Amino acid sequence: MMSTVQDAGVAHMPRITVVEAYDGLSQRAADVVAEVLGEKPDAVVTLPTGETPSGMYKELVRRITSKELDFSRAQFFCLDDYLGSTPEDDASLTRWLRSEFLVPGNLPEGNIHYMPTTAEDPDVAAAGFDREIAELGGFDLAVVGLGPNGHIGFNEPGSLPTDPTRVVDLEEATLSQSAAYWDGKATIPTQAMTTGLGTILKSRRIVLIVSGKRKAEIVRAALEGPSTSDVPGSWLRQAGNRLEVILDREAASLLTIK
Ligand code: F6R
């Protein structure tokens, strides 16, 4: 069952969709991806890694395999990864993405734009990444998750809504979150390259997916607190009705607008 807490009836307001549980979140996120590709088969998209999008990827792979969804013409941009890491490293978001989605979803290699994490000059490469996105007309869709410290991509606290794709220092909270992805067995680089909030905010559609009780407080801060660099997720509200926030009941549990 799905309810829209705060609908796009008010033109400038983000749409907040609350679903009962995680499965509904994955289905709704996959529906939005399918909608965007249905309207524009060669859409330019960026999708996140992490625990939250796992179910969405399973559903996307299922739809691609059953030919309900054609992802073969989409331009796929990786959202973020650790600086210097390659898919051969233990800690690699790109490796995770390859095994969860890019390979089983059979995306043509030529349509995948990897984070230039090993470039000789990462700053120049990051600017080139933004240029590539702009040359393709910008993102049609950016799906993002919310970090325990309010980060979007790896736009950590302190990030501005105008920030470009760049190299960033990772906070302690993000390093321990990352370590948990690999059961503490991988060494996590202390820097990363992330698609900038500025690049994300230019997207024609943005979807923020958040699940679980442990994110309820940061969801409240991002959606109902002040717009501030302390909680980078709060900048997403600048996208107005281009933003849809998909939450399960637990993640939405501390919101006052219900
Ligand atoms: C990962 C990313 C991060 C995650 C966020 C939530 O590519 O961009 O911002 O989306 O840290 O992570 P999970 O889903 O693991 O809670």
Side-chain angles (χ1 to χ4, degrees), residues 2 6 17 34 54 86 124 175 180-181 183-184 187 196 222 251:
M2 185 156 79
Q6 187 184 329
T17 303
S54 244
T86 73
V124 170
L175 293 172
Y181 289 155
D183 298 327
T187 308

Side-chain angles (χ1 to χ4, degrees), residues 48-53 79-80 145-147 151-153 177 181 214-215:
T49 59
E51 277 177 27
T52 318
L79 184 66
D80 48 13
L146 185 67
H151 72 213
I152 297 292
Q177 174 201 20
Y181 289 155
R214 72 193 167 92
K215 296 267 183 82

Side-chain angles (χ1 to χ4, degrees), residues 68-81:
E68 280 166 65
L69 176 67
D70 181 7
F71 220 107
S72 66
R73 290 173 57 198
Q75 295 291 328
F76 184 97
F77 282 80
C78 295
L79 184 66
D80 48 13
D81 207 341

Side-chain angles (χ1 to χ4, degrees), residues 187-203:
T187 308
I188 313 296
T190 56
Q191 287 189 302
M193 193 182 283
T194 185
T195 305
L197 261 178
T199 313
I200 293 167
L201 274 167
K202 284 185 204 137
S203 309

Side-chain angles (χ1 to χ4, degrees), residues 21 24 36 62 90 99 130 157 185 225 245:
V36 169
R62 189 195 66 72
D90 288 338
S99 75
D130 269 350
K185 289 182 190 134
V245 184

Side-chain angles (χ1 to χ4, degrees), residues 127-197:
F129 192 78
D130 269 350
R131 222 171 20 249
E132 226 181 308
I133 295 164
E135 278 165 11
L136 285 165
F139 290 139
D140 293 294
L141 173 68
V143 178
V144 294
L146 185 67
N149 59 358
H151 72 213
I152 297 292
F154 279 140
N155 291 278
E156 295 279 56
S159 298
L160 294 170
T162 48
D163 276 336
T165 297
R166 68 203 184 287
V167 173
V168 292
D169 294 329
L170 296 176
E171 279 201 343
E172 207 46 61
T174 301
L175 293 172
S176 24
Q177 174 201 20
S178 291
Y181 289 155
W182 290 280
D183 298 327
K185 289 182 190 134
T187 308
I188 313 296
T190 56
Q191 287 189 302
M193 193 182 283
T194 185
T195 305
L197 261 178

